[in-house]
Amino acid sequence: MSNFILLAETGSDIPVDIAKRYGIYTVPMHVAFGDKTVDDGTFPPEDIYRYFEQTGDLTKTSGCTVGDFEHIFDKIQQAHPDKHILHLAYSAVTTCSYQSAVIAAEGRNGITSFDTKHVSAGQSLVIMKLAQYLQEHPEATLEDALAKAEELSQKCRMGFFPGDLAYLRAGGRVSNAAYLGAKILSLNPLIELRDGHLKATKKYRGKMEKVVTKFILDFVEQNHLNRETMAFVYSKGLSDTIRNEANSIAKQLGFKEIFWIQTGGVVTTHCGPGGFGMCGFAEERG
């Protein structure tokens, strides 16, 4: 049995069945609907779409507070007093959560936070694979676990297409001119995780039903992904046509494990309905 309890923010979007299988705990990030702030994971993503349609305003997101971490640390240490808590954090450059965890851990023993430099499915994939490693290596020390987490984080690659650029425009992440140009030209900006930062790296032209094949083939080849595990990430509203096509391509490419990970409130706020992406592990660190 592993010496560790893994902890992540809800923004990791880790599937419930995976969390249950490995005993992974989550701590809530937050989503604000105007003056009302609620915990991520306590409402369906469609509430975000309805709020935007009704008000023209986006929900706003925030990271976990020091109090959130104090509460979850207390809960875990009471239930597992002999275990070491390993917090695999949402990219520290994008939110306050990592720093909140560090502050909450002051004066406590048996807690370590590690910045995965990933979000959503990328973070989820790192956590999942580390959980498998710890299950297979119950003798692993903290040094071993951190070394494996570092290896997984450096090899993980994630690319994502926002579902509706109106959400990026409303959030101030793209200008009105860029939004209109993309709509007219049917441009889909690809967002990738680079050293913890979300960066637009290239644009694909055409409807997503046509783009998906080229994107997957490009992403697998350019990132030299191994064929062990593929995780697709999506927000509610993605068509079955795209999901079926993505599955078919991944199987043709020889991926042994294929997961689908749905975005929760935090990522859905920024991408809108119908977002789609993928992540996997490169053969080499980078």
Side-chain angles (χ1 to χ4, degrees):
M1 184 175 293
S2 169
N3 297 314
F4 302 94
I5 294 293
L6 300 185
L7 171 67
E9 296 86 350
T10 53
S12 67
D13 297 327
I14 189 160
V16 173
D17 61 327
I18 298 296
K20 287 182 177 179
R21 183 186 309 172
Y22 296 108
I24 300 165
Y25 283 74
T26 56
V27 56
M29 299 177 84
H30 307 284
V31 179
F33 294 78
D35 296 331
K36 181 182 178 183
T37 299
V38 296
D39 289 349
D40 180 30
T42 62
F43 61 89
E46 291 90 340
D47 286 357
I48 292 171
Y49 306 156
R50 282 190 287 269
Y51 181 79
F52 183 57
E53 292 170 359
Q54 293 168 4
T55 68
D57 295 326
L58 280 183
T59 49
K60 293 182 172 27
T61 62
S62 57
C64 310
T65 66
V66 173
D68 292 327
F69 277 104
E70 289 175 338
H71 175 75
I72 197 69
F73 288 161
D74 285 342
K75 181 177 179 179
I76 295 173
Q77 290 185 323
Q78 287 169 11
H80 307 279
D82 298 327
K83 302 284 188 178
H84 191 103
I85 299 172
L86 183 50
H87 166 221
L88 297 165
Y90 197 96
S91 175
V93 298
T94 67
T95 178
C96 66
S97 292
Y98 177 85
Q99 189 60 34
S100 292
V102 171
I103 293 171
E106 290 177 358
R108 296 172 183 255
N109 294 320
I111 300 173
T112 302
S113 285
F114 172 82
D115 180 8
T116 67
K117 297 186 178 180
H118 286 280
V119 305
S120 189
Q123 182 187 6
S124 186
L125 205 55
V126 169
I127 295 165
M128 188 187 313
K129 287 301 179 181
L130 183 60
Q132 292 176 357
Y133 168 82
L134 292 174
Q135 187 178 75
E136 294 166 1
H137 298 83
E139 76 288 353
T141 64
L142 177 59
E143 184 179 27
D144 295 332
L146 290 174
K148 187 63 177 179
E150 181 69 32
E151 176 191 346
L152 291 168
S153 295
Q154 289 188 12
K155 288 185 175 181
C156 189
R157 302 287 187 272
M158 176 175 167
F160 189 81
F161 293 101
D164 189 339
L165 293 183
Y167 282 67
L168 293 180
R169 178 182 60 172
R173 292 174 177 81
V174 299
S175 67
N176 192 55
Y179 166 76
L180 291 173
K183 291 289 284 185
I184 292 170
L185 298 174
S186 294
L187 296 178
N188 300 281
L190 176 65
I191 310 297
E192 295 187 70
L193 264 292
R194 298 286 178 87
D195 197 30
H197 296 268
L198 293 158
K199 295 185 177 181
T201 56
K202 64 186 296 185
K203 295 182 177 69
Y204 283 79
R205 188 168 184 173
K207 293 185 179 299
M208 277 305 302
E209 285 79 0
K210 302 294 184 182
V211 165
V212 61
T213 300
K214 179 169 176 50
F215 162 60
I216 295 173
L217 294 175
D218 285 351
F219 200 79
V220 171
E221 179 181 359
Q222 292 167 8
N223 289 287
H224 306 288
L225 298 186
N226 68 46
R227 300 302 200 268
E228 288 297 321
T229 304
M230 163 84 76
F232 290 116
V233 55
Y234 72 104
S235 58
K236 291 284 284 186
L238 185 71
S239 73
D240 288 339
T241 299
I242 293 176
R243 293 191 61 167
N244 292 336
E245 178 67 10
N247 271 329
S248 176
I249 297 168
K251 290 175 181 177
Q252 289 173 25
L253 289 172
F255 281 91
K256 297 175 184 176
E257 292 182 304
I258 302 171
F259 296 95
W260 280 90
I261 296 174
Q262 182 184 313
T263 62
V266 172
V267 177
T268 298
T269 287
H270 303 299
C271 74
F276 171 75
M278 61 175 285
C279 56
F281 291 104
E283 294 288 355
E284 301 293 336
R285 300 188 187 203

